Amino acid sequence: MAHAQVAVSLKLILKNAEGKVLALEAQGNGPMADYYDLPGGRIDEDEIEVPFTKIFEREIQEELGDVRFSVVPRPITVLTWTWPNGKQFCYVYYEGTLISGEPKISAEHLSFKWIDLDETEINNHFTTFHKSALLQYIS
């Protein structure tokens, strides 16, 4: 039997001082249209041996600009997902805290907002895999 070809995507449940999580509005096309994303992304080829928590330094700077944050070094949850185009992903979720700075959204997203971590807000803002991970996180 052949092994699955799975891309790894690191996602950060980034909370502010009020305990709200940062939600990034997805672009208006594709399967996440009208929903929100979490900061993070895929591992680059030259990062194969880099600790995941270090990869967040690059990803967060690319997506949020000059903010300071901390990351708990253990994943919260891991799940796999197959996109409509057939591409398979393994999402690894970490918890983080914003220390200072205000996010400045890159071209990858349309806007951001801080949302309460409760079931209603999660269901209203996130789709499928992120929704599942966040509901696990708060339970």
Side-chain angles (χ1 to χ4, degrees), residues 3-7 31 42 80-91:
H3 294 282
Q5 298 295 313
V6 179
R42 288 187 267 177
T80 56
W81 180 257
T82 302
W83 283 85
N85 65 4
K87 189 156 189 152
Q88 297 174 320
F89 277 82
C90 175
Y91 290 94

Side-chain angles (χ1 to χ4, degrees), residues 56-129:
F56 277 120
E57 292 175 13
R58 174 187 57 78
E59 280 291 343
I60 297 306
Q61 183 175 23
E62 287 176 5
E63 292 186 355
L64 305 180
D66 190 24
V67 298
R68 290 185 56 232
F69 64 98
S70 63
V71 178
V72 177
R74 280 180 251 86
I76 291 170
T77 191
V78 177
L79 55 87
T80 56
W81 180 257
T82 302
W83 283 85
N85 65 4
K87 189 156 189 152
Q88 297 174 320
F89 277 82
C90 175
Y91 290 94
V92 184
Y93 294 85
Y94 285 79
E95 178 181 28
T97 303
L98 181 70
I99 297 170
S100 66
E102 184 69 18
K104 292 178 179 57
I105 297 302
S106 73
E108 292 182 47
H109 300 98
L110 299 174
S111 68
F112 76 91
K113 66 173 145 178
W114 295 95
I115 66 163
D116 291 319
L117 274 175
D118 64 47
E119 189 171 344
T120 300
E121 289 297 298
I122 291 168
N123 284 323
N124 286 339
H125 290 90
F126 296 96
T127 186
T128 56
F129 47 94

Side-chain angles (χ1 to χ4, degrees), residues 14-65:
L14 184 63
K15 297 185 297 183
N16 64 13
E18 292 82 38
K20 294 184 177 193
V21 68
L22 183 66
L24 307 174
E25 185 179 7
Q27 292 287 345
N29 53 8
M32 287 190 63
D34 301 322
Y35 290 101
Y36 285 75
D37 196 1
L38 294 169
R42 288 187 267 177
I43 299 169
D44 288 346
E45 286 182 354
D46 64 347
E47 295 176 320
I48 294 300
E49 296 182 21
V50 175
F52 287 176
T53 54
K54 287 295 216 182
I55 295 170
F56 277 120
E57 292 175 13
R58 174 187 57 78
E59 280 291 343
I60 297 306
Q61 183 175 23
E62 287 176 5
E63 292 186 355
L64 305 180

